[in-house]
Amino acid sequence: MSALAQGKVNLHLGVGDVRPDGYHDLVTVFQAVDLTERVTVTPVAPAPAGGASAAPDASVVEEVTVSGPDAHLVPRDASNLAVRAVDLLVRHWLTHGGVADVPRVAVHIDKGVPVAGGMAGGSADAAAALVATRELLRLVTPPADRDRAPDLDGEVLRTLGAELGADVPFCLLGGTALGTGRGEQLIPLMSRGTAHWALAFDSTGLSTAEVFARLDRLRADAATGVRPDVRAGDPHDLERALLTGDPAALAPTLVNDLQPAAVSMMPGLRRTLLAADEAGALAALVSGSGPTVAMLCRDHAHAVEVATTTAAAGHVGSTTVTASSPHGARLDRGGGWTAPGRVVPPQP
């Protein structure tokens, strides 16, 4: 079974102070984009003797393979979010009365979202893996057992997804949504038209945890008066701008509290943001925890122009264009898909 899920950009990312549990309360507006991850879950061996329930903590994943951009950066072990998603759903299934003879599977991930780029590529893998595994479990359930099989509706998947990561529930939902809590509490937002983006990637990723930790240190400095403590306000103006469908109205509402931390860890992002401005982007900001820079554009042709000009400036690893997407995670019905091409700047 194959399933697809989208990457995202954060149009608004307001970060609260660190909580006692180490997390931060967020107020964020997610927007799915048409960079797509495909995860395929394939049975490769029968269930172990005694049924999968005989070893409920054992992984059912026998092999992980990865293709596409940045494939060499993706872990193939139990830390992979797609692997964790498959095993989490299988354990839930077994615990709540599902069929016991779950086959062992191979997981293949076809990448379309940059790794460690602040665009939820790993979370999209988890979302797609949950959808593909749900379908597989339904198919291997004998007809006589289907009445007692647990319900695996969208709400169940989003609840399980939140155990894997704060962005996973949004990758399941898709579209445009307001996220609160750690980002897992979602309210879909109305959005007119299509937002067009140029994206600038850096060949070096950033750790989300390290970017949040740097933000905490910057705010500690601000408390002593060393630097100003500037924070995102509420997203009401952004929500109103989304209803207009006008990218010029949306541009001044984009904000990311993590951007100063990401820039302090990777100073070259300043050059990318400046290059985006010089290329004529309506607005540019670091996506999530970075280092991807998202550049809002008027339309597709403008996005191509901004991406090409930014790439030619020579400060980025590569650029591409994308657009907002209404899709959440869903089964791949075989309609055909290819990874978007990237514009690679000329090498000296």
Side-chain angles (χ1 to χ4, degrees), residues 2-347:
S2 293
L4 308 174
Q6 309 308 124
K8 59 82 182 170
V9 292
N10 296 85
L11 309 182
H12 175 105
L13 182 50
V15 181
D17 291 327
V18 64
R19 307 185 318 199
D21 63 2
Y23 290 104
H24 300 71
D25 284 318
L26 305 180
V27 176
T28 186
V29 176
F30 297 104
Q31 184 171 84
V33 295
D34 61 7
L35 298 182
T36 307
E37 301 279 288
R38 180 197 280 120
V39 175
T40 302
V41 179
T42 305
V44 293
S53 58
D57 295 329
S59 176
V60 300
V61 179
E62 196 161 280
E63 180 186 27
V64 180
T65 54
V66 187
S67 60
D70 299 335
H72 64 289
L73 300 175
V74 179
R76 270 73 164 174
D77 56 21
S79 67
N80 185 291
L81 276 177
V83 173
R84 292 173 57 196
V86 171
D87 288 331
L88 179 63
L89 188 57
V90 168
R91 285 195 296 270
H92 175 87
W93 174 265
L94 296 173
T95 302
H96 291 80
V99 63
D101 53 346
V102 178
R104 297 186 62 77
V105 300
V107 173
H108 180 73
I109 301 168
D110 195 1
K111 299 291 297 178
V113 179
V115 175
M119 297 190 68
S123 295
D125 291 342
L130 287 170
V131 170
T133 304
R134 174 177 64 182
E135 189 69 10
L136 180 64
L137 291 172
R138 288 172 173 170
L139 288 174
V140 301
T141 302
D145 294 327
R146 288 174 184 166
D147 288 344
R148 65 181 180 88
D151 188 10
L152 298 179
D153 62 13
E155 186 60 34
V156 171
L157 290 195
R158 287 191 290 274
T159 299
L160 293 173
E163 298 182 30
L164 298 165
D167 290 344
V168 179
F170 173 73
C171 291
L172 286 160
L173 178 66
T176 303
L178 173 69
T180 56
R182 293 189 297 121
E184 83 284 8
Q185 300 170 25
L186 299 171
I187 300 174
L189 295 178
M190 292 289 293
S191 178
R192 286 193 172 91
T194 300
H196 294 273
W197 300 91
L199 301 175
F201 306 122
D202 195 285
S203 57
T204 303
L206 281 174
S207 161
T208 298
E210 291 176 7
V211 174
F212 273 96
R214 178 63 65 91
L215 177 64
D216 293 336
R217 291 196 292 273
L218 292 177
R219 287 181 170 174
D221 290 342
T224 67
V226 172
R227 55 184 295 121
D229 188 2
V230 179
R231 303 193 185 203
D234 63 56
H236 298 328
D237 288 344
L238 184 145
E239 292 174 25
R240 286 190 286 269
L242 287 170
L243 290 173
T244 70
D246 181 2
L250 182 62
T253 70
L254 303 181
V255 63
N256 180 3
D257 276 348
L258 289 179
Q259 182 164 305
V263 170
S264 72
M265 295 175 66
M266 190 176 287
L269 288 174
R270 290 191 182 92
R271 295 196 301 270
T272 304
L273 292 165
L274 178 60
D277 182 63
E278 293 174 345
L282 299 179
L285 79 168
V286 173
S287 177
S289 58
T292 301
V293 171
M295 300 166 276
L296 182 64
C297 301
R298 292 187 300 272
D299 50 32
H300 175 74
H302 185 218
V304 171
E305 177 185 343
V306 169
T308 303
T309 303
T310 304
H315 304 309
V316 299
S318 61
T319 62
T320 194
V321 298
T322 190
S324 56
S325 170
H327 296 301
R330 70 273 185 208
L331 287 175
D332 181 6
R333 300 295 186 180
W337 173 87
T338 57
R342 293 188 181 182
V343 179
V344 179
Q347 301 300 311

